[in-house]
Amino acid sequence: MATEYARYGHGYGADRGHRRHRLPAGLRAPFEARSWREFGYVLLGLPMGILMFTYAVTMVSLGAGLLVTFLGVPVLAAALAGCRGIGVLERARARGLLGLEVAEPEPLRMKRHGLLAWTGAVLKSGASWRALLYSVLQFPWSVFSFVVGLTVWSVGWTLLTYPLWFWVFPMWAGQGGIQLYGDGHHRVFLDNPFEIGVTALVGLLFTLATPWIVRALTMVDRVLVHGLLGPSRLSARVVELESDRGTVVDTAAADLRRIERDLHDGAQARLVALAMDLGLAKEKLAEDPRAAARMVDEAHGEVKTALQELRDLARGIHPAVLTDRGLDAALSSVASRCTVPVSVDVDLAERPAPAIEGIAYFTVSELLQNISKHSGARSASVDVWRVEDRLMLQVVDDGVGGADVSAGSGLAGLAGRLDAVDGILVVDSPAGGPTRVTAELPWRR
């Protein structure tokens, strides 16, 4: 927490440095690299869809036909493994052309080595079947998006550039202009300035709308790639819980090291010095009672100091007032030690679980310490309330702002602790202030 407010303005310069375009997005879109990449994605989708659909249908049909023999099972597993490989290519294509970052699905879980174990793992993997489903569904969608995308793109640019073509080729095959209608008696051509202007205007409208139509088409591709080729919600949740478990273990280890360091450097060292002073006072008791009394008096002062350090250490582990009287009294006690006036408003009809209550207490405590040391604030406020099954905390100060949770250090560590219990930390701290830190914790009875 010590360095968060020292980094005022971090992250804001980047926002000010963004290039400001003079043209609105609607006029820029046909010429932006993103639009051409998305159009390239649509064009590549058709050959990729044909390849995937042909492979998937052929291999699955072959495997299903051979299921009457033992060969059908490994062939079907090979078909699913191939679809997983195609999924790797599709994620790379989406990443390169759409800028879509999709994590790899859960790996195969094999308890043993060998062909049979691999075959069973592939067949039992949900990611394999989702990749097969993607290979089948992507083909009809790629046909539709290819036809729509290529049609609107070509029509738009053809009509927009029609005046240029008419100027270069005023007559073609004995006729002038584009034929809109023709039968045995009548023919209609676009060959006068008004009709050419209207044609170019319609082409401009098509050209401006085409990037957004293509973008809408690629949104469906994004959903397909993310939903079928990425990790499932269950596997993502497992990875998240494993990460949270590591965070909890690291946090507990860091707390134990902090307690050991505080005991060793604080109360333990003071008690050792106290024992030595009492030993000297005992030796001087007979020959110099006054000096012994003075040393005992000094030792009494050291005992008071050591007791205060032990109280502070115990408060840092888990304050007694939090256990006895709850968040309102505990946060009021923390606020009284802050260097700026702090108003505390706790609106809770009942108390949450002790673990959640402790996390809420230490979250507010660290934020108030941050305000005391680095904010330059004149006042602050703490609000605690409940919304359905969530415990909400908000700490606001009128300091200079600039705190950034992405810069690492204290706020990032605090966000990691909250995330370990499915909590959220949101920091709103523009340069110049004020700073508003909102924490959300699960409500557990």
Side-chain angles (χ1 to χ4, degrees), residues 95-124:
R95 181 169 55 251
L97 296 178
L98 299 181
L100 178 63
E101 294 290 341
V102 179
E104 294 185 0
E106 57 274 18
L108 298 178
R109 299 182 179 274
M110 295 187 298
K111 298 181 180 180
R112 300 184 305 274
H113 296 285
L115 179 60
L116 291 179
W118 176 84
T119 301
V122 172
L123 293 175
K124 290 187 294 184

Side-chain angles (χ1 to χ4, degrees), residues 1-56:
M1 297 291 288
T3 61
E4 295 298 334
Y5 282 96
R7 294 190 178 97
Y8 295 122
H10 179 79
Y12 297 96
D15 293 337
R16 292 192 297 266
H18 284 170
R19 183 177 61 183
R20 294 183 178 178
H21 297 280
R22 295 181 180 179
L23 292 176
L27 298 179
R28 296 196 317 267
F31 309 99
E32 288 182 331
R34 175 184 176 182
S35 299
W36 289 96
R37 288 196 301 268
E38 291 173 342
F39 184 56
Y41 184 90
V42 170
L43 294 182
L44 287 176
L46 181 59
M48 288 297 299
I50 295 173
L51 174 65
M52 290 186 294
F53 185 83
T54 303
Y55 173 83

Side-chain angles (χ1 to χ4, degrees), residues 178-233:
I178 299 178
Q179 181 178 338
L180 290 183
Y181 172 79
D183 56 21
H185 303 285
H186 302 283
R187 293 182 181 180
V188 178
F189 292 88
L190 299 177
D191 54 4
N192 63 66
F194 175 76
E195 294 172 345
I196 293 174
V198 173
T199 301
L201 179 60
V202 173
L204 177 62
L205 296 178
F206 266 93
T207 302
L208 294 178
T210 295
W212 306 104
I213 296 175
V214 173
R215 191 159 300 170
L217 295 174
T218 57
M219 287 301 297
V220 178
D221 291 282
R222 292 173 183 270
V223 173
L224 289 175
V225 173
H226 190 274
L228 297 179
L229 299 182
S232 64
R233 291 186 177 181

Side-chain angles (χ1 to χ4, degrees), residues 1-325:
M1 297 291 288
T3 61
E4 295 298 334
Y5 282 96
R7 294 190 178 97
Y8 295 122
H10 179 79
Y12 297 96
D15 293 337
R16 292 192 297 266
H18 284 170
R19 183 177 61 183
R20 294 183 178 178
H21 297 280
R22 295 181 180 179
L23 292 176
L27 298 179
R28 296 196 317 267
F31 309 99
E32 288 182 331
R34 175 184 176 182
S35 299
W36 289 96
R37 288 196 301 268
E38 291 173 342
F39 184 56
Y41 184 90
V42 170
L43 294 182
L44 287 176
L46 181 59
M48 288 297 299
I50 295 173
L51 174 65
M52 290 186 294
F53 185 83
T54 303
Y55 173 83
V57 171
T58 302
M59 291 296 294
V60 171
S61 300
L62 179 61
L66 293 175
L67 281 179
V68 294
T69 67
F70 179 75
L71 294 177
V73 176
V75 170
L76 187 58
L80 295 177
C83 291
R84 291 176 67 103
I86 292 175
V88 175
L89 296 178
E90 285 296 281
R91 288 194 299 271
R93 186 165 70 98
R95 181 169 55 251
L97 296 178
L98 299 181
L100 178 63
E101 294 290 341
V102 179
E104 294 185 0
E106 57 274 18
L108 298 178
R109 299 182 179 274
M110 295 187 298
K111 298 181 180 180
R112 300 184 305 274
H113 296 285
L115 179 60
L116 291 179
W118 176 84
T119 301
V122 172
L123 293 175
K124 290 187 294 184
S125 173
S128 302
W129 293 100
R130 291 198 305 273
L132 173 63
L133 181 61
Y134 175 85
S135 300
V136 175
L137 293 180
Q138 200 271 344
F139 172 66
W141 172 251
S142 66
V143 173
F144 175 80
S145 60
F146 180 89
V147 171
V148 173
L150 185 60
T151 300
V152 295
W153 197 283
S154 59
V155 168
W157 283 101
T158 299
L159 296 180
L160 179 62
T161 58
Y162 177 66
L164 176 62
W165 292 108
F166 186 81
W167 176 69
V168 175
F169 303 106
M171 297 291 293
W172 181 260
Q175 299 293 340
I178 299 178
Q179 181 178 338
L180 290 183
Y181 172 79
D183 56 21
H185 303 285
H186 302 283
R187 293 182 181 180
V188 178
F189 292 88
L190 299 177
D191 54 4
N192 63 66
F194 175 76
E195 294 172 345
I196 293 174
V198 173
T199 301
L201 179 60
V202 173
L204 177 62
L205 296 178
F206 266 93
T207 302
L208 294 178
T210 295
W212 306 104
I213 296 175
V214 173
R215 191 159 300 170
L217 295 174
T218 57
M219 287 301 297
V220 178
D221 291 282
R222 292 173 183 270
V223 173
L224 289 175
V225 173
H226 190 274
L228 297 179
L229 299 182
S232 64
R233 291 186 177 181
L234 180 59
S235 63
R237 182 59 177 163
V238 170
V239 173
E240 181 182 357
L241 291 176
E242 290 177 349
S243 176
D244 292 345
R245 182 180 61 184
T247 301
V248 171
V249 172
D250 293 340
T251 301
D255 290 340
L256 288 176
R257 289 193 298 270
R258 177 181 59 82
I259 294 172
E260 189 275 335
R261 183 177 62 253
D262 292 343
L263 284 173
H264 183 271
D265 298 339
Q268 180 179 345
R270 196 173 297 278
L271 290 175
V272 170
L274 175 63
M276 296 176 62
D277 291 342
L278 289 176
L280 293 176
K282 181 180 179 181
E283 294 178 357
K284 290 182 175 292
L285 185 61
E287 57 186 48
D288 192 354
R290 289 187 176 181
R294 185 173 63 255
M295 295 178 68
V296 170
D297 184 63
E298 294 175 354
H300 183 255
E302 290 292 323
V303 169
K304 291 182 178 180
T305 304
L307 288 175
Q308 183 61 40
E309 290 182 353
L310 289 175
R311 290 193 192 99
D312 294 339
L313 181 61
R315 187 184 296 115
I317 298 173
H318 194 84
V321 65
L322 178 62
T323 303
D324 297 337
R325 301 174 58 188

